[in-house]
């Protein structure tokens, strides 16, 4: 079959069912080693299947509508789910963690995407659903991982090192100086994910966007350029998001008189 003209072969429901059976492999190991992850794997697989099928139907309607408010509503909905997922992964929580996660995940992605659509990809109009929706979805999914790692590592480090933080404050350190080791540790851990993925990009790992374009018959050079732009967008948005959520969180752990309020973490 000429893929460049006809696109990739269609996957039937029978083939899709056979493919889904591959999940039985990790389920087998979960049962074998008594990892207690079988139910989570089954539920996650079912959720992913249902969500992707619904997304496919929803995107058809979104792309047909060609209205500016369609990608906006989709972005707000996806951003809300992303913020909930980011805040939910943390072992410790505090009042306002969801809204702070929303500012750390959604806002940087939206700003970076707007800049890229207007000045780099140059799509007119910039909100065109078939470009805007897939890109914001890819960016949010990537940003969740890095931002949640930064948030989780930071609050865990603060909780474990609370006595050290209080000791630094007692010795005259400012609130930023007292928290600096924990801030640095969380950001280094988060940024390491970016660096590790970029090291193997193109050598071992062919990212999803490039795979999709190649299967659709787009030239390899064209697909590589788009993927490179997306990687840079993801890297900048997720790094900015990690910094924002850590910066907001550490400031919330002090009162107006710069007293450390460990009790705010629960």
């Amino acid at each position: 079959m000429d893929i460049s003209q006809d696109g990739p072969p269609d996957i039937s429901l029978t083939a899709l069912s056979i493919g889904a059976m591959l999940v039985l492999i990790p389920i087998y190991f979960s049962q074998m080693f008594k990892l207690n992850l079988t139910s989570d794997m089954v539920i996650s697989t079912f959720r992913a299947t249902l969500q992707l099928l619904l997304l496919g139907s929803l995107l058809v309607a979104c792309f047909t509508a060609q209205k500016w408010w369609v990608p906006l509503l989709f972005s707000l909905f996806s951003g809300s789910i992303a913020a909930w997922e980011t805040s939910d992964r943390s072992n410790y929580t505090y009042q306002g963690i969801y809204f702070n996660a929303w500012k750390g995940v959604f806002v940087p992605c939206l700003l970076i995407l707007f800049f890229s659509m207007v000045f780099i990809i140059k799509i007119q109009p910039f909100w065109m659903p078939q470009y805007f929706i897939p890109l914001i979805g890819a960016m949010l999914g990537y940003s969740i991982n890095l931002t949640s790692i930064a948030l989780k590592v930071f609050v865990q480090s603060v909780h474990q090192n609370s006595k050290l933080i209080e000791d630094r404050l007692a010795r005259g350190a400012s609130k930023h100086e007292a928290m600096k080791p924990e801030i640095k540790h969380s950001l280094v851990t988060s940024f390491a994910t970016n660096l590790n993925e970029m090291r193997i990009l193109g050598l071992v790992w062919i990212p999803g966007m490039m795979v999709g374009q190649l299967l659709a018959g787009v030239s390899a050079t064209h697909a590589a350029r788009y993927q490179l732009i997306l990687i840079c967008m993801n890297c900048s948005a997720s790094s900015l998001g990690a910094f924002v959520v850590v910066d907001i969180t550490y400031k919330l752990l002090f009162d107006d008189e710069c007293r450390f309020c460990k009790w705010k973490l629960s």
Side-chain angles (χ1 to χ4, degrees):
M1 179 172 59
D2 186 357
I3 295 180
S4 62
Q5 294 180 2
D6 301 327
D10 189 28
I11 298 179
S12 65
L13 292 178
T14 302
L16 190 62
S17 301
I18 296 174
M21 292 176 64
L22 294 173
V23 182
L24 293 175
I25 296 175
I27 290 177
Y28 168 77
F29 285 109
S30 175
Q31 291 290 97
M32 179 179 178
F33 293 103
K34 297 182 174 18
L35 302 179
N36 297 322
L37 295 175
T38 301
S39 60
D40 289 339
M41 290 180 180
V42 173
I43 293 173
S44 296
T45 302
F46 177 77
R47 279 187 56 185
T49 302
L50 182 61
Q51 288 165 187
L52 284 175
L53 292 176
L54 289 175
L55 177 64
S57 301
L58 178 63
L59 288 181
V60 172
C62 290
F63 294 167
T64 304
Q66 294 294 317
K67 302 292 184 180
W68 65 268
W69 50 266
V70 172
L72 176 62
L73 289 179
F74 186 93
S75 300
L76 289 173
F77 174 77
S78 299
S80 300
I81 300 298
W84 176 83
E85 184 68 24
T86 300
S87 59
D88 189 60
R89 293 183 184 184
S90 177
N91 295 332
Y92 300 95
T93 186
Y94 58 87
Q95 187 175 3
I97 188 173
Y98 171 80
F99 185 59
N100 292 336
W102 188 85
K103 289 188 286 187
V105 175
F106 179 66
V107 176
C109 287
L110 192 64
L111 293 177
I112 296 296
L113 178 57
F114 173 78
F115 173 84
S116 301
M117 293 290 280
V118 174
F119 298 104
I120 301 175
I121 304 176
K122 298 181 180 180
I123 296 296
Q124 295 295 334
F126 72 89
W127 48 262
M128 193 173 291
Q130 55 263 49
Y131 289 91
F132 198 95
I133 292 178
L135 288 175
I136 192 66
M139 293 178 69
L140 287 172
Y142 192 91
S143 187
I144 286 175
N145 292 327
L146 271 72
T147 307
S148 62
I149 289 174
L151 178 60
K152 181 178 180 178
V153 171
F154 178 69
V155 295
Q156 186 171 349
S157 298
V158 169
H159 189 270
Q160 293 175 347
N161 301 332
S162 58
K163 292 184 179 180
L164 290 175
I165 295 171
E166 291 172 347
D167 183 61
R168 294 173 198 144
L169 291 168
R171 296 187 180 192
S174 64
K175 60 182 181 181
H176 178 75
E177 292 170 339
M179 287 284 193
K180 188 174 181 180
E182 285 69 34
I183 294 174
K184 182 178 179 181
H185 175 58
S186 63
L187 293 179
V188 167
T189 305
S190 176
F191 290 2
T193 304
N194 261 335
L195 297 176
N196 291 335
E197 291 183 351
M198 294 181 76
R199 287 192 185 103
I200 61 173
L201 180 63
L203 296 176
V204 178
W205 175 43
I206 302 178
M209 181 179 181
M210 188 171 179
V211 170
Q213 288 189 317
L214 291 174
L215 291 176
V218 176
S219 70
T221 302
H222 188 79
R225 291 179 180 179
Y226 263 86
Q227 185 60 63
L228 180 59
I229 292 299
L230 181 59
I231 288 294
C232 293
M233 291 162 62
N234 284 338
C235 182
S236 59
S238 58
S239 300
L240 181 59
F243 172 79
V244 167
V245 76
V246 169
D247 184 69
I248 293 175
T249 302
Y250 105 81
K251 290 177 180 177
L252 284 175
L253 295 177
F254 291 89
D255 60 17
D256 295 336
E257 298 180 2
C258 292
R259 289 177 297 194
F260 178 46
C261 303
K262 177 188 173 182
W263 54 267
K264 290 186 177 181
L265 290 178
S266 59

